[in-house]
Amino acid sequence: MGSVTPSGPQPPYPLHESIKDKLDPVYAAFYNKHIIHQQQVHLQPVYASRTSGILIPGGGPQLLVGKKEDILIRRRETKGPDILVRVFTPEGEKPRNGWPLMVYYHGGGWVLGNIETENTVCSHLCNRARCVVVTVDYRLAPENPYPAAVHDSWETLLWLTSTGFSRLHIDPSKCAIGGSSAGGNLAAIMCHKSLSCPEVVPKFLIQLLMVPVTDNTALVSNTPSWRQNEFVPALPAVKMMWYRWHYLPEKSRWGEPEASPLLYPNEDGSWAKLPKALVVVGELDVLRTEGEKYAEKLEDNGVKADLKIMKGMPHPFLAMDGVLEQGKQTITFMVEALKEAFK
């Protein structure tokens, strides 16, 4: 977990010369006013980052929903504690066949974040797309490294089909999945895993992958966006490696498909069976290239993938919808994609 004393350079952290003139001016101004003097996550102990307040400043307010409920679910295939999920249900009467469903996994590099982290996004999807949203409090590294988060994500899908559909009044024919960053990684993996068990987990109409991690073998030396954005604020390359080493302490496992969904094999043509996708990436995010490649691989296999690149944006723009128009716009992209899928 590290010592109490932060290691490495101390605040302030001015924008790097290689990136400062490329950033959206609204983001740059917000950074220089509110973030420049904050201790950087990868330069302090994990527990300090988990208890230091808001993970990413600049988020907007939650929207009203009909009900929020926390449920502990029991495992069926893996070992570990019960898993906490939060359920957002829209206001009003459910449709005759039940509510559409959106399963959502939060970001935070598999190390930070919790069931509270992306409630704003979840409330927008619930309220505006008129669907039940289930968000998962999966276990975090380094205490619970890979594949703990994958197991918790999968157990949630098993629970939904066996128990959750009836309890939450879900329409099984209208299901979607998604997440941001590490959560986008988990959502993509769940889509692949679901292909082998279509009778016991939801069949998804669409996957919403926001700034997803799809390739944990990506490095500055082998990936264009890592090289171009090595010193970007919010998620510089060294910070992404800090997350990776906590989650994947065994380098030999970085390329396993359940860690790097871009590397799922396709000898059996399974990629063609995946749900269509909305993939949104930041132009100045180290993760941009792997998001682009994931969308390209879907398209190459005949799966529609709507790729959107948010100009001038580093990694956390979705969570900054209170100050960034690009964050608000991305939530609208998600809402509209769900509406279209649930028609």
Side-chain angles (χ1 to χ4, degrees):
M1 297 285 280
S3 64
V4 174
T5 304
S7 60
Q10 299 300 297
Y13 304 106
L15 294 169
H16 197 270
E17 288 294 325
S18 67
I19 206 77
K20 68 177 185 178
D21 294 332
K22 301 177 183 178
L23 287 164
D24 176 90
V26 176
Y27 176 87
F30 185 86
Y31 179 92
N32 285 326
K33 184 175 181 180
H34 298 285
I35 304 176
I36 191 171
H37 293 287
Q38 292 188 8
Q39 178 63 45
Q40 294 198 8
V41 163
H42 61 293
L43 299 179
Q44 66 181 356
V46 170
Y47 74 84
S49 295
R50 289 178 181 166
T51 58
S52 61
I54 297 173
L55 185 59
I56 300 172
Q62 295 184 42
L63 298 187
L64 290 174
V65 298
K67 182 174 67 172
K68 282 199 297 186
E69 178 185 11
D70 290 353
I71 301 173
L72 275 175
I73 64 175
R74 292 191 174 183
R75 295 174 184 274
R76 298 173 185 275
E77 292 185 356
T78 61
K79 295 181 179 179
D82 293 349
I83 303 160
L84 180 66
V85 300
R86 177 163 293 169
V87 180
F88 298 76
T89 303
E91 293 182 303
E93 292 295 319
K94 66 177 176 66
R96 185 174 67 175
N97 294 328
W99 293 108
L101 170 69
M102 171 66 182
V103 183
Y104 190 86
Y105 301 102
H106 69 79
W110 312 277
V111 175
L112 305 177
N114 54 43
I115 205 166
E116 304 285 347
T117 302
E118 293 182 45
N119 281 195
T120 293
V121 174
C122 292
S123 72
H124 275 264
L125 301 181
C126 174
N127 180 299
R128 296 167 60 187
R130 300 287 297 159
C131 63
V132 165
V133 178
V134 174
T135 187
V136 185
D137 200 24
Y138 55 85
R139 287 172 294 170
L140 300 177
E143 300 89 344
N144 297 283
Y146 169 83
V150 175
H151 289 169
D152 295 358
S153 301
W154 181 248
E155 290 285 358
T156 301
L157 302 189
L158 296 176
W159 171 79
L160 281 165
T161 302
S162 62
T163 303
F165 279 178
S166 58
R167 176 169 178 173
L168 305 178
H169 308 291
I170 300 300
D171 180 349
S173 70
K174 295 183 177 181
C175 297
I177 193 169
S180 69
S181 194
N185 167 275
L186 294 170
I189 291 163
M190 293 304 104
C191 288
H192 283 275
K193 284 177 67 67
S194 295
L195 295 180
S196 62
C197 300
E199 71 284 353
V200 296
V201 294
K203 178 176 175 60
F204 298 111
L205 300 175
I206 190 169
Q207 51 184 319
L208 308 185
L209 308 180
M210 307 297 106
V211 293
V213 184
T214 70
D215 183 2
N216 268 307
T217 70
L219 299 164
V220 170
S221 60
N222 63 18
T223 305
S225 61
W226 276 64
R227 185 165 55 252
Q228 296 156 5
N229 304 313
E230 182 177 2
F231 302 106
V232 73
L235 191 63
V238 65
K239 183 177 177 182
M240 186 61 213
M241 291 303 298
W242 180 86
Y243 284 127
R244 184 183 295 170
W245 279 114
H246 278 308
Y247 181 57
L248 290 156
E250 299 177 53
K251 188 176 181 180
S252 61
R253 306 192 74 179
W254 287 4
E256 291 183 8
E258 290 193 2
S260 298
L262 181 64
L263 306 184
Y264 264 99
N266 193 35
E267 287 80 2
D268 59 354
S270 60
W271 276 76
K273 302 173 186 176
L274 292 169
K276 66 181 179 180
L278 168 67
V279 183
V280 184
V281 298
E283 179 189 22
L284 305 182
D285 188 358
V286 293
L287 303 180
R288 187 199 72 232
T289 297
E290 57 201 86
E292 292 171 328
K293 286 185 176 180
Y294 200 82
E296 180 182 2
K297 192 166 181 178
L298 288 171
E299 287 279 356
D300 287 347
N301 284 279
V303 178
K304 179 175 173 53
D306 184 6
L307 173 66
K308 298 185 184 298
I309 303 172
M310 308 306 283
K311 301 297 182 183
M313 286 291 104
H315 184 71
F317 58 89
L318 173 63
M320 298 178 67
D321 62 298
V323 295
L324 296 177
E325 285 300 319
Q326 293 90 336
K328 296 177 184 176
Q329 188 178 22
T330 299
I331 292 176
T332 296
F333 290 152
M334 299 170 75
V335 169
E336 293 304 317
L338 290 179
K339 287 181 176 179
E340 178 64 27
F342 294 152
K343 280 183 178 178

